[in-house]
Amino acid sequence: MNTKQIHRFVLKYLEATQCEILDKSPYHIKVKLSQAADRELTNRPYYWSFIDRLNETPETMSFLFVTDEEKYEATVAQQPVEEPKLLTPEEKAMERAYGIVPKPLPRIPREHLHFGSSRLKQLFESAENNGSYVCLYQEPQTRTLHPYDSRPYTVWLGINYMVEFSCDLKREEIHSLGISLVTGHCQEQFYDRLTSMRLSPRLPANVHIAKNGISYTKALSIAESHLEKRLKSYNYEWAEKAQARLQEELERLEGFYKPLLAQATDEEQKLEIEQLKEKREEEIRWQYEPRVTVSVINSGIFHLDGID
Amino acid sequence: MNNRLFTTNSSNDDTHQKPIHPAVNVNFQREWFKELQQRIEHNGPWDQWSMFQLAMEAREATVIHSFDELLCLRSLPSIEPMPHQLETAKRVLNEMGGRAILADEVGLGKTIEAGLILKEYLLRGLVKKALILVPASLVLQWVRELNTKFGIAAVAQKKSHSWGYEIVVASIDTAKRDPHREVVLATDYDLIIIDEAHKLKNKKTTNYQFATQLSKKYCLLLTATPIQNNLEELFNLISLLKPGQLGAQGEFNSNYVADKRLPKNEEQLQHILSSIMIRNRRGDGGIHFTKRIVRNITLELSKEEQALYDAVTDFVQQQANQDGIDISSILSLVTLQREVCSSRDAVFLTLVNMFKKTAEDSPVRARVWELVEVIRAITSNTKAEKALEIINECEGKVILFTEYRATQEYLLQFFEKHNIPAVPYRGGMNRGKKDWMMDIFRGRARVLIATEAGGEGINLQFCNNMINFDLPWNPMRVEQRIGRVHRLGQTEDVNIFNLCTKNTIEEHILHLLHEKINLFELVIGELDHIIERLESKEGSIEQRLAKAILRSRSSQQLHEEIDHIGASITTYQEDKINN
């Protein structure tokens, strides 16, 4: 992710959570958080439980998120320093009485959102937690429909899979599959198809949903066997190597502990060594054992135009 | 969730397992499907489409495309690792399976290497729970470095609930004791880092026993001491990391050990070692240090100062010749002499304390009072004048080291009088104040007056002028001082000014450090090994020096004694080079 992509992401997140954008440039966003976003991001559970219990109006936090530190500094440097405002009569009175004029604006914390920063990581996690399950309808592409015509829509189960290949090393792949509940047909890169169309949470007019031919459970197993077939065709040299390393290490342990066990004088000592050996073996398996894990990033029910 | 929990052969409702290759199975996680079915049944609640897309975008941005490409660099804007540090991190991750001894020479950044490896594993999700065991004095420094340089939310272990955090820094002496011991041993750590690991060389110690009982997936042992010197110790250390890597104990002894310190089949041993240990050296290509330019400035004491020095020397000799004097009193007596060379304030303070401590009817009291009278005559400080001159000639900032608090206070006032902004730095300050002083020095102050250098390391790469107002007797402390400014990241040549007064013990000390040990030109990092070996055999250098000074009747004799001490250090030095 470059700074531009980060900026876009943050802006979209803040908009999706209905935050109030106070000021922005391509390099920064000044924002007053919505209640939902404040609860999600500011880690103030006591404050919120206080507000909830007393039914008080909450004061949400504001932030200055800087996405491009260098360019932001440059623009700030160019701006003229603001003239101090003239005091109103009330403020003058305050100043006479107390010696100070209370500042109305609280300080806005400034944060640099770069890739790897903890705030950005928090936004990522928040998005992942709050964007898991959707139910959406495609908006009709053309408005030329006859008012009494009805377009058939197909229900799709869309799944974004994360495939993890790991031993002591790790890599990942994202697989997006869509399964038509009408035909059982399985489509790859389904997410790309979704992002190219307009989707809405409401059923459009003049649309009817085709009858499902298969159950959700059946669709799931179609998706899994499709993915399984894909994965079977991969090269597993890495896993073979990891297995070999694992065996080698286990033999090494055997060689190390065998003489120790032979030398052990009493049962207690023997047991102790035995336990240590088991522990080491367990660790080595934990470290090297190859595994492929398929988890789901998010999924949803999508009602799309046409029968396929 | 700890990935160890998932066992290979179970398949339940939430996961679904299938073989896809003789070497590996695939696990489908199905928890999400139940949740989806429930939402379908209740017709909601459904998440927003925009959030769904953001979730995908986030995951696509963090997906790990390859097994071996280093990911941590793009998320670390605040550090720029050196090539040898990156190389080390890559080798540990990709070739050594995350279990290694990092044995770089002092000052090459083992902490950075360990931090890079930890960060990489965290980003890859291969490490969630990590334990970092370090000497107690380094706990906070580690936490600070991990937080600021690596953006890793490490926590210093303070209370027993601290163990619950994901990344904990603790001292091994605390961790091994009850009630902590039980908690630590019951936890499976994805990564354990042990700093100063050479302290674990003896397998009979409780620390070693404790270390063997820890559960770990990856493990890094950090040490700068060349453990190759003792094969038994080397074997023990490697047995912590990869038992059996050097064969069983018996095989190891017959294959590689000719004598305790003498290996055989060295080439083969080195080969095996290189698969488990990385040692970068200063001499290796790509690691560049700037030059040290050392200037010794010999000063003539003023008439009054010399009078004080002579009076104090008389007093010290007299006291030392009394019967039944112990080594610590000898040291404090000699300190008086050294203090005269620093400032009258320093010696005054010690004399006052001495006066208070002696019995009211003791004849010593009167003697001490006489000395105080001599101090009164002194109106200026020769060294301070010279230091001022040097500072005015230097471009940029200057760090000035002194051994004594009183001198530090005096110099602060002295510089203030001459309109040179200076700040103090000393061991007794708390962390916040230290950081504050450092900030001022970085900003508007020109001079930092410090009384300590080691321990809580201060890094001052932005400053390349250093004045030793007085010299510590222990060469290691001098080295630590220099190490503050002359380290990786220093871009300028480093100017070192040693202020030294003629016809005093200082002259002898400088002679020892500069001419005998050649300390100031010595390659950084060599010294600590030499001193460590010397002191383990012959006692601390300070004590040997103090004895020599009191024993000597003449300057000539002292000169010879000091030459002797110097020679013994040089022997070890040559020893090391020949090894």
Side-chain angles (χ1 to χ4, degrees):
Chain A
M1 250 184 176
N2 56 32
T3 50
K4 268 193 194 134
Q5 288 166 319
I6 291 172
H7 188 86
R8 254 204 347 253
F9 180 89
V10 175
L11 202 58
K12 273 194 282 183
Y13 178 90
L14 296 173
E15 279 162 4
T17 47
Q18 280 96 44
C19 294
E20 186 190 342
I21 310 287
L22 303 173
D23 180 25
K24 68 176 176 183
S25 75
Y27 322 118
H28 83 282
I29 304 164
K30 196 187 269 181
V31 64
K32 183 170 168 58
L33 298 181
S34 65
Q35 286 198 35
D38 192 292
R39 282 174 200 265
E40 191 75 15
L41 302 178
T42 59
N43 191 22
R44 325 189 269 173
Y46 293 117
Y47 176 74
W48 282 107
S49 71
F50 165 78
I51 294 292
D52 291 342
R53 243 180 278 164
L54 297 182
N55 263 333
E56 282 286 329
T57 331
E59 181 62 38
T60 60
M61 284 181 72
S62 297
F63 283 97
L64 171 61
F65 292 133
V66 178
T67 49
D68 191 328
E69 193 87 10
E70 221 169 277
K71 294 211 175 113
Y72 177 71
E73 282 299 335
T75 47
V76 169
Q78 277 174 8
Q79 274 164 9
V81 182
E82 267 178 55
E83 293 281 320
K85 268 189 292 180
L86 286 177
L87 299 180
T88 62
E90 292 88 357
E91 285 170 340
K92 274 186 185 150
M94 288 271 254
E95 196 179 27
R96 271 200 307 280
Y98 300 107
I100 47 148
V101 182
K103 293 251 165 62
L105 268 180
R107 199 179 70 88
I108 296 180
R110 169 177 167 171
E111 285 184 21
H112 179 201
L113 296 191
H114 59 85
F115 194 79
S117 72
S118 55
R119 181 67 73 190
L120 190 64
K121 198 174 152 214
Q122 193 192 24
L123 294 183
F124 282 177
E125 278 164 11
S126 167
E128 282 169 46
N129 291 334
N130 296 300
S132 310
Y133 304 96
V134 290
C135 177
L136 296 166
Y137 300 85
Q138 183 178 6
E139 291 192 358
Q141 286 140 322
T142 45
R143 294 217 157 271
T144 53
L145 284 174
H146 191 273
Y148 299 115
D149 243 5
S150 177
R151 300 270 312 161
Y153 269 34
T154 301
V155 182
W156 291 79
L157 171 64
I159 312 170
N160 293 323
Y161 278 115
M162 176 62 82
V163 185
E164 237 182 75
F165 306 88
S166 59
C167 47
D168 59 312
L169 305 166
K170 177 167 155 183
R171 78 180 184 89
E172 296 171 330
E173 275 179 10
I174 293 175
H175 289 263
S176 176
L177 299 181
I179 297 95
S180 158
L181 288 169
V182 175
T183 62
H185 167 65
C186 179
Q187 206 171 66
E188 292 192 358
Q189 267 116 41
F190 187 64
Y191 181 67
D192 293 347
R193 182 177 163 196
L194 292 176
T195 48
S196 68
M197 52 180 73
R198 284 155 53 95
L199 295 165
S200 119
R202 266 173 305 279
L203 179 70
N206 299 336
V207 156
H208 68 274
I209 310 291
K211 193 174 176 302
N212 286 348
I214 61 168
S215 68
Y216 285 104
T217 319
K218 177 68 189 162
L220 173 71
S221 71
I222 290 174
E224 282 184 359
S225 36
H226 184 91
L227 194 56
E228 191 189 321
K229 217 157 68 199
R230 271 296 296 271
L231 293 178
K232 267 187 181 157
S233 70
Y234 279 36
N235 181 346
Y236 286 96
E237 209 186 312
W238 64 272
E240 286 162 5
K241 277 189 185 157
Q243 286 285 8
R245 278 200 298 270
L246 175 61
Q247 282 315 315
E248 199 182 311
E249 294 285 336
L250 288 175
E251 277 159 30
R252 213 169 263 163
L253 280 183
E254 194 63 38
F256 182 80
Y257 284 105
K258 217 172 178 179
L260 282 180
L261 281 168
Q263 281 165 20
T265 42
D266 55 76
E267 281 304 309
E268 202 180 320
Q269 200 184 358
K270 210 168 184 167
L271 193 71
E272 209 173 285
I273 297 170
E274 200 81 64
Q275 278 171 347
L276 214 52
K277 183 183 164 207
E278 262 169 46
K279 195 184 185 84
R280 292 289 97 90
E281 286 173 349
E282 217 179 304
E283 281 175 10
I284 301 244
R285 288 209 185 87
W286 179 23
Q287 186 184 1
Y288 286 118
E289 203 152 64
R291 44 197 172 240
V292 176
T293 313
V294 179
S295 57
V296 168
I297 302 165
N298 48 21
S299 60
I301 312 299
F302 299 91
H303 305 81
L304 306 186
D305 193 4
I307 300 278
D308 51 356
Chain B
M1 196 175 69
N2 196 323
N3 55 359
R4 192 183 182 178
L5 295 175
F6 117 60
T7 47
T8 341
N9 300 318
S10 77
S11 211
N12 55 27
D13 280 2
D14 292 338
T15 65
H16 178 68
Q17 192 174 67
K18 293 244 178 102
I20 44 168
H21 184 270
V24 65
N25 295 334
V26 60
N27 270 279
F28 288 98
Q29 295 188 348
R30 280 183 172 173
E31 239 167 292
W32 64 277
F33 187 65
K34 276 194 223 156
E35 175 77 29
L36 178 69
Q37 277 179 311
Q38 238 169 46
R39 297 208 189 195
I40 293 171
E41 220 168 278
H42 297 103
N43 194 20
W46 298 108
D47 298 329
Q48 287 176 65
W49 172 225
S50 56
M51 212 41 113
F52 187 94
Q53 287 173 289
L54 285 169
M56 263 307 261
E57 209 178 310
R59 236 21 216 101
E60 273 167 349
T62 52
V63 70
I64 302 157
H65 291 290
S66 88
F67 280 123
D68 49 8
E69 184 202 357
L70 223 47
L71 299 177
C72 57
L73 290 180
R74 53 177 190 167
S75 42
L76 295 173
S78 50
I79 60 167
E80 207 169 304
M82 311 277 296
H84 73 272
Q85 293 165 343
L86 283 177
E87 199 48 45
T88 301
K90 276 187 198 158
R91 272 191 66 202
V92 171
L93 291 159
N94 299 333
E95 293 164 32
M96 299 170 139
R99 286 193 179 207
I101 300 176
L102 304 180
D104 286 4
E105 285 180 342
V106 175
L108 291 186
K110 287 186 290 291
T111 319
I112 301 279
E113 290 164 4
L116 286 172
I117 294 165
L118 172 59
K119 183 76 182 181
E120 183 69 24
Y121 276 138
L122 286 170
L123 286 174
R124 289 179 173 265
L126 286 167
V127 166
K128 294 208 168 72
K129 191 115 180 114
L131 174 65
I132 297 149
L133 294 173
V134 306
S137 60
L138 296 180
V139 169
L140 288 179
Q141 195 185 329
W142 264 87
V143 170
R144 225 177 17 250
E145 291 230 338
L146 290 177
N147 288 341
T148 55
K149 286 195 184 144
F150 293 94
I152 295 172
V155 173
Q157 190 276 329
K158 286 195 187 114
K159 302 264 165 58
S160 21
H161 70 250
S162 308
W163 297 115
Y165 289 99
E166 297 203 314
I167 294 146
V168 179
V169 183
S171 91
I172 191 162
D173 292 312
T174 311
K176 73 173 180 193
R177 276 201 311 264
D178 288 327
H180 308 296
R181 180 189 181 84
E182 223 170 289
V183 188
V184 176
L185 290 183
T187 314
D188 291 331
Y189 290 101
D190 295 306
L191 171 64
I192 290 182
I193 298 174
I194 303 181
D195 195 8
E196 306 288 333
H198 50 269
K199 292 186 177 148
L200 294 174
K201 59 200 174 186
N202 183 347
K203 67 175 173 188
K204 296 204 176 66
T205 58
T206 49
N207 281 2
Y208 188 92
Q209 300 287 341
F210 176 70
T212 57
Q213 287 171 37
L214 295 165
S215 294
K216 59 202 184 286
K217 179 162 70 164
Y218 308 112
C219 182
L220 301 174
L221 302 179
L222 277 50
T223 172
T225 321
I227 35 176
Q228 293 104 315
N229 286 338
N230 186 326
L231 293 164
E232 170 80 27
E233 291 170 5
L234 179 65
F235 182 81
N236 289 340
L237 208 55
I238 288 180
S239 298
L240 268 185
L241 210 59
K242 281 193 175 183
Q245 184 78 13
L246 295 170
Q249 180 90 57
E251 290 169 68
F252 174 72
N253 287 341
S254 58
N255 286 344
Y256 303 113
V257 183
D259 178 52
K260 203 174 155 204
R261 286 178 188 280
L262 202 65
K264 59 182 184 186
N265 297 330
E266 197 161 359
E267 214 165 289
Q268 200 185 341
L269 179 64
Q270 286 302 337
H271 179 72
I272 296 183
L273 279 183
S274 72
S275 71
I276 194 165
M277 181 165 95
I278 300 179
R279 181 162 174 83
N280 294 307
R281 294 165 182 276
R282 276 154 209 283
D284 298 350
I287 302 170
H288 176 68
F289 278 88
T290 57
K291 268 192 282 185
R292 291 179 179 187
I293 301 164
V294 183
R295 256 161 285 185
N296 292 325
I297 295 162
T298 318
L299 299 167
E300 195 101 32
L301 286 176
S302 69
K303 212 171 78 210
E304 296 81 10
E305 285 169 326
Q306 189 67 48
L308 175 65
Y309 183 79
D310 292 341
V312 167
T313 310
D314 253 13
F315 171 73
V316 168
Q317 297 277 358
Q318 208 174 45
Q319 292 295 310
N321 287 336
Q322 285 172 348
D323 295 334
I325 191 155
D326 58 0
I327 184 72
S328 71
S329 336
I330 291 182
L331 276 176
S332 67
L333 278 172
V334 177
T335 303
L336 271 177
Q337 268 175 299
R338 301 174 58 193
E339 282 170 339
V340 185
C341 304
S342 181
S343 71
R344 61 182 198 135
D345 302 61
V347 70
F348 176 73
L349 205 71
T350 313
L351 284 175
V352 168
N353 284 335
M354 198 177 263
F355 184 81
K356 282 188 203 150
K357 257 189 269 169
T358 43
E360 263 179 54
D361 52 351
S362 161
V364 178
R365 275 203 153 186
R367 289 281 289 137
V368 169
W369 208 242
E370 278 166 36
L371 290 175
V372 173
E373 283 303 321
V374 183
I375 290 178
R376 278 185 211 280
I378 299 173
T379 47
S380 68
N381 186 322
T382 316
K383 270 188 174 176
E385 307 276 351
K386 189 70 197 174
L388 183 69
E389 202 182 307
I390 295 171
I391 290 166
N392 282 330
E393 279 166 18
C394 276
E395 277 175 40
K397 305 200 180 272
V398 179
I399 177 164
L400 185 150
F401 279 105
T402 171
E403 289 271 274
Y404 309 103
R405 269 291 296 279
T407 306
Q408 186 184 37
E409 295 290 345
Y410 168 73
L411 286 175
L412 277 172
Q413 284 174 22
F414 180 77
F415 288 138
E416 197 187 304
K417 222 186 289 167
H418 291 86
N419 288 325
I420 291 180
V423 282
Y425 188 93
R426 59 177 156 258
M429 291 175 171
N430 63 26
R431 190 68 244 163
K433 185 147 185 202
K434 281 181 177 170
D435 288 344
W436 183 30
M437 292 299 134
M438 216 40 81
D439 277 348
I440 301 177
F441 183 45
R442 218 169 268 132
R444 60 182 173 82
R446 273 205 68 200
V447 181
L448 182 81
I449 306 173
T451 52
E452 62 132 12
E456 297 263 304
I458 44 174
N459 302 337
L460 301 164
Q461 287 100 320
F462 58 89
C463 165
N464 67 324
N465 301 304
M466 187 181 133
I467 299 175
N468 284 312
F469 198 77
D470 37 46
L471 282 171
W473 285 9
N474 187 335
M476 266 319 288
R477 306 247 338 260
V478 183
E479 179 60 41
Q480 273 173 351
R481 283 181 174 185
I482 301 172
R484 294 306 114 212
V485 289
H486 193 230
R487 56 197 297 126
L488 279 182
Q490 175 63 266
T491 51
E492 305 287 321
D493 289 346
V494 173
N495 298 309
I496 302 167
F497 300 93
N498 297 315
L499 299 185
C500 167
T501 48
K502 239 182 180 167
N503 300 323
T504 62
I505 47 169
E506 236 175 25
E507 207 181 357
H508 294 288
I509 300 299
L510 189 65
H511 169 72
L512 171 71
L513 296 178
H514 191 67
E515 278 154 52
K516 284 292 139 190
I517 316 183
N518 201 10
L519 168 75
F520 300 97
E521 270 105 59
L522 203 65
V523 178
I524 324 166
E526 273 176 11
L527 187 71
D528 37 357
H529 312 323
I530 298 166
I531 299 295
E532 191 175 306
R533 284 163 67 187
L534 175 77
E535 295 202 335
S536 66
K537 293 229 168 66
E538 313 192 19
S540 99
I541 289 183
E542 282 105 325
Q543 290 187 5
R544 291 179 68 194
L545 279 170
K547 280 182 192 159
I549 286 164
L550 292 178
R551 228 183 295 140
S552 328
R553 287 281 143 259
S554 67
S555 169
Q556 182 57 34
Q557 198 187 344
L558 180 59
H559 203 89
E560 279 164 20
E561 291 262 6
I562 285 180
D563 276 0
H564 178 68
I565 296 175
S568 67
I569 296 176
T570 331
T571 323
Y572 281 98
Q573 203 169 337
E574 277 158 9
D575 243 28
K576 175 146 191 299
I577 292 162
N578 294 337
N579 266 341

